[in-house]
């Protein structure tokens, strides 16, 4: 029995190839691109890819697979990686603790997990404020997708996005966005901000053709960005990038996620979760059609590559030229990009995870480990 369990653990949590194998003429040698080819979850398969653009990777990400569930987390940091790394280490843990206490996963449980993560990070900012004052200006978008017993919960702060690909008539694929975005470039977000701050004529400011909140930041919801939420975290005026035009009277950002709930239907074939670096270059429909057209193996990496090709085309350059550009200069051409594609092949039923594996996979980590989904067994 022990040797059988050891073999199963080795199969679940093995070291893995860093790159997915695609067609011969598309083999990668980009040292800043990491991917998982295709892995099993309890209701199908998934593919995972990340490309780095910033000098320090600010996209943290994870996939957690359970006996009858899957969790996808994409955390797109700004101002540094501290907030996105913190979310990766704490959000799923909070979610599992609260789900175990409540006996289920629900919108309320997810909101409380986000709130606990936000409060934890703000406490870290407070503890380190004297020695690392710019921690108050570090934040992260946060996209979470959970499929729990046939229901999709999609929660979002910021401008990452989740899209479902469903079959329409004549087996044509239809892209349907299932998350709400919070970016001042959207008129609806600007109206929301102005309605909640009627006495602040500078709540959104157009600078060099870009709408920004207080002239500083584009996203209106995030984890972190403490100096835009609480006066105690005021950033020293010697850092002009984060200088507010007047003292903060009340929060201008929030960590309240927008959550959508969808009972999955037979027509729902896959989900694409991605940071905004992908959606800057591909539409929802373009991404869904690419996933529908090509083999599953390496499909997340194919999406990333297509976005990079489009980014270079806009500069009248080739993708091959991009691979020669050093890490510290890549941000001038594209953002960090994270993509997870989850294929839905069957109903999520207890005990159906392939090989009994409950795996935790992290972006840019070449081995898998056990997932804390195990604490929900029997729920």
């Amino acid at each position: 029995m022990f040797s059988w369990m050891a073999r199963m653990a080795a199969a679940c949590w093995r070291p893995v190839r860093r790159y997915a194998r695609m067609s011969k003429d598309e083999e990668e040698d980009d040292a800043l691109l990491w991917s998982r080819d295709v892995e099993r979850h309890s209701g199908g398969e998934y593919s995972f890819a990340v490309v780095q653009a910033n000098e320090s990777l600010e996209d943290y990400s994870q996939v957690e697979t359970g006996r009858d569930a899957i969790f996808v987390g994409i955390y797109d940091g700004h101002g540094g990686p501290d907030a996105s790394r913190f979310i990766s280490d704490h959000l799923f843990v909070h979610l599992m603790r609260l789900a175990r206490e409540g006996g289920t996963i629900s919108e309320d449980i997810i909101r409380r997990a986000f709130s606990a993560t936000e409060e934890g990070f703000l406490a870290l900012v407070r503890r380190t404020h004297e020695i690392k004052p710019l921690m108050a200006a570090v934040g992260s978008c946060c996209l979470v997708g959970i499929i729990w017993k046939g229901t999709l919960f999609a929660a979002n702060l910021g401008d990452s996005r989740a899209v479902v690909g469903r079959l329409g008539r004549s087996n044509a694929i239809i892209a349907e966005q299932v998350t709400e975005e919070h970016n001042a470039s959207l008129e609806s977000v600007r109206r929301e901000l102005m309605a909640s701050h009627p006495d602040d004529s500078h709540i959104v400011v157009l600078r060099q053709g870009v709408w920004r909140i207080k002239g500083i930041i584009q996203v209106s919801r995030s984890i972190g960005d403490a100096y835009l939420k609480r006066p105690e975290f005021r950033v020293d005026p010697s850092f002009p990038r984060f200088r507010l035009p007047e003292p903060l009277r009340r929060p201008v950002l929030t960590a309240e996620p927008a959550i959508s709930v969808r009972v999955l239907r037979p027509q729902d074939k896959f989900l694409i979760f991605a940071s905004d670096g992908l959606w800057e270059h591909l539409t929802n429909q373009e991404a869904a059609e690419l996933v529908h057209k090509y083999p599953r193996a390496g499909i997340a990496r194919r999406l990333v590559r297509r976005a990079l090709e489009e980014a270079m085309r806009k500069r009248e350059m080739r993708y091959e030229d991009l691979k020669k550009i050093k890490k510290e200069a890549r941000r001038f051409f594209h953002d960090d990009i994270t993509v997870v594609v989850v294929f839905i092949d069957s109903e999520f039923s207890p005990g159906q995870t392939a090989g009994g594996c409950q795996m935790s996979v992290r972006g840019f980590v070449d081995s898998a480990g056990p997932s804390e989904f195990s604490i929900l067994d029997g729920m």
Side-chain angles (χ1 to χ4, degrees), residues 139-259:
S140 181
C141 299
C142 183
L143 170 64
V144 163
I146 307 161
I147 301 178
W148 169 253
K149 298 183 178 180
T151 297
L152 168 68
F153 298 87
N156 193 46
L157 295 170
D159 53 11
S160 296
R161 186 183 305 172
V163 171
V164 63
R166 60 179 176 86
L167 284 181
R169 295 180 180 178
S170 303
N171 286 330
I173 203 70
I174 298 171
E176 183 179 337
Q177 187 169 325
V178 293
T179 51
E180 176 184 323
E181 293 175 37
H182 313 110
N183 190 301
S185 64
L186 300 172
E187 185 179 352
S188 59
V189 172
R190 296 197 298 274
R191 285 200 304 265
E192 178 184 48
L193 287 163
M194 289 186 285
S196 59
H197 298 81
D199 57 342
D200 188 347
S201 60
H202 296 96
I203 186 62
V204 285
V205 177
L206 185 64
R207 283 192 174 172
Q208 297 179 331
V210 178
W211 286 101
R212 295 183 183 274
I213 299 156
K214 305 299 287 185
I216 297 173
I217 191 170
Q218 287 185 272
V219 294
S220 63
R221 303 191 193 190
S222 69
I223 299 290
D225 296 302
Y227 77 115
L228 294 172
K229 295 175 178 175
R230 298 185 185 179
E232 66 181 285
F233 296 119
R234 174 179 173 270
V235 175
D236 191 299
S238 63
F239 298 101
R241 178 182 171 189
F242 308 110
R243 184 183 300 158
L244 288 166
E246 63 274 324
L248 189 71
R249 295 193 296 271
R250 61 179 182 277
V252 296
L253 302 190
T254 176
E256 178 73 15
I259 302 177

Side-chain angles (χ1 to χ4, degrees), residues 236-301:
D236 191 299
S238 63
F239 298 101
R241 178 182 171 189
F242 308 110
R243 184 183 300 158
L244 288 166
E246 63 274 324
L248 189 71
R249 295 193 296 271
R250 61 179 182 277
V252 296
L253 302 190
T254 176
E256 178 73 15
I259 302 177
S260 66
V261 182
R262 178 191 186 96
V263 176
L264 295 173
R265 303 182 292 269
Q267 297 91 338
D268 297 334
K269 297 303 179 183
F270 57 82
L271 291 148
I272 305 170
F273 300 91
S275 55
D276 70 310
L278 181 79
W279 308 114
E280 287 177 6
H281 304 295
L282 297 180
T283 67
N284 295 347
Q285 191 63 31
E286 287 170 340
E289 288 177 359
L290 189 147
V291 172
H292 187 55
K293 177 180 178 181
Y294 286 97
R296 293 183 176 187
I299 193 63
R301 184 160 67 102

Side-chain angles (χ1 to χ4, degrees), residues 65 75 95 141 145 202 223 245 296 312 314 326 330 337:
T65 60
Y75 320 120
L95 178 70
C141 299
H202 296 96
I223 299 290
R296 293 183 176 187
M312 297 306 285
K314 293 173 182 176
K326 293 182 179 180
R330 288 278 286 256
I337 303 174

